[in-house]
Amino acid sequence: AKIPKTAKVAVDNRDNTIAFMNIVLPIADELVWYSPDVDNESENEYKLLLQDNTLESLTITSEPNGTLTPTFDPKTNTYTYKVNSGVTEVVVSAKAKSGSANVEGTGTYNVNDKKVIVKVTSEDGTENIYTINFEVIKSTNNELLSLGIENYSIVPTFDKSVKTYTLEVENDVTSVNVIGEALDSKSTIVGLGTKTLSVGLNKLNVLVTSESGVTNTYTINVTRKSNSDSTLKSLTVSDYTLEPTFNSNIKEYNVSVENNVSSVNISAEAN
């Protein structure tokens, strides 16, 4: 032990009684001393085994390193090692205070093992258990790496910190394809893909949810222009022929009917 300790030791006397004496232990794993045997003109050897089964150090490492709480103290037996969700392996290292103590449980572990038991056994067989619990910290990142409308440019240019964008398309554009990618592969995205457009304002929301469940919304306001074309796509009179043949740029037509025809059915479709 690095810090001197005082031990109370029982010694058999010649008359079979037991005496006790206090001995200050030096920096060593065991203490050996001799007591004279007057009758046999020899010495009796006494050996004191240390009962130190505490750790001098406990180190947990990973890539990247996590956080061990509380800070290691030989008298504290339970710890939590917190790592990011990308970490899969941790390395447990430990050293006993006593060189004669045995340490079990060190090595490389998977965080899915949930916890590690480190057992320190002193020379006299007394055990001491240290427990390290693994805790995976789920990511809170709910930002996008990219966002846009395929074949169009949104305004302003995408920035993960900007949440609202605009886009104006012509009236003949009836749908757009929303594309994007999450900054963190462990997050989820809802709102990508083909979206049907109505005439006027269309709010297209993209919801990003982090691994830990925190949400973040990006919005693209797409405006589909009104139809400014006042021409016809088709014009017909049932059972009759227009003269000239229909053309959207021609505004006047003639239809010849019999004298007894009092009404006709006209059909038209706007552009």
Side-chain angles (χ1 to χ4, degrees):
K2 288 189 174 181
I3 302 175
K5 298 181 179 179
T6 300
K8 196 170 188 181
V9 183
V11 181
D12 288 328
N13 291 322
R14 287 186 302 149
D15 57 359
N16 294 324
T17 61
I18 297 178
F20 293 92
M21 59 183 177
N22 289 328
I23 299 175
V24 177
L25 303 184
I27 303 176
D29 293 328
E30 63 183 35
L31 179 67
V32 179
W33 75 97
Y34 300 90
S35 176
D37 188 328
V38 179
D39 292 338
N40 298 320
E41 297 181 353
S42 63
E43 292 181 326
N44 294 319
E45 180 180 308
Y46 295 86
K47 184 177 182 181
L48 176 66
L49 301 180
L50 297 186
Q51 295 182 3
D52 193 339
N53 55 11
T54 58
L55 288 177
E56 179 179 86
S57 64
L58 175 64
T59 305
I60 319 293
T61 57
S62 59
E63 183 59 44
N65 280 325
T67 304
L68 182 68
T69 54
T71 303
F72 173 71
D73 185 309
K75 297 178 181 179
T76 302
N77 290 81
T78 303
Y79 299 87
T80 298
Y81 187 68
K82 297 181 179 181
V83 295
N84 294 331
S85 57
V87 175
T88 58
E89 290 187 341
V90 296
V91 178
V92 179
S93 304
K95 180 182 178 182
K97 279 189 176 182
S98 172
S100 61
N102 182 55
V103 178
E104 300 174 67
T106 58
T108 301
Y109 292 88
N110 190 295
V111 292
N112 293 327
D113 294 333
K114 301 300 183 182
K115 70 177 180 181
V116 170
I117 300 297
V118 175
K119 182 170 69 174
V120 186
T121 306
S122 65
E123 190 178 9
D124 73 343
T126 305
E127 297 180 351
N128 189 17
I129 300 296
Y130 291 84
T131 302
I132 304 100
N133 297 299
F134 297 145
E135 181 179 329
V136 178
I137 303 173
K138 293 184 177 180
S139 172
T140 59
N141 190 304
N142 55 10
E143 295 179 317
L144 288 178
L145 176 64
S146 63
L147 177 66
I149 302 293
E150 189 174 18
N151 298 324
Y152 293 92
S153 297
I154 58 175
V155 178
T157 301
F158 175 73
D159 184 299
K160 64 181 181 181
S161 61
V162 177
K163 300 299 185 291
T164 303
Y165 300 86
T166 60
L167 174 66
E168 186 176 68
V169 297
E170 298 299 326
N171 176 262
D172 60 352
V173 178
T174 59
S175 66
V176 292
N177 185 31
V178 182
I179 56 177
E181 182 181 356
L183 189 61
D184 188 337
S185 61
K186 294 179 288 297
S187 62
T188 58
I189 308 176
V190 176
L192 302 181
T194 302
K195 306 297 176 183
T196 301
L197 300 179
S198 301
V199 174
L201 178 63
N202 298 263
K203 296 179 71 68
L204 307 182
N205 292 322
V206 177
L207 180 68
V208 186
T209 304
S210 70
E211 183 186 26
S212 61
V214 181
T215 60
N216 186 19
T217 301
Y218 292 83
T219 301
I220 305 176
N221 292 314
V222 180
T223 300
R224 179 184 173 191
K225 292 181 180 179
S226 299
N227 189 355
S228 59
D229 189 349
S230 59
T231 61
L232 291 177
K233 183 177 181 180
S234 65
L235 176 64
T236 61
V237 178
S238 298
D239 301 323
Y240 294 96
T241 302
L242 294 179
E243 294 181 2
T245 301
F246 174 75
N247 184 300
S248 60
N249 294 320
I250 299 175
K251 303 301 188 290
E252 293 185 9
Y253 298 89
N254 296 316
V255 176
S256 298
V257 299
E258 292 78 5
N259 184 57
N260 61 348
V261 175
S262 59
S263 66
V264 294
N265 183 24
I266 299 174
S267 299
E269 182 182 358
N271 273 320

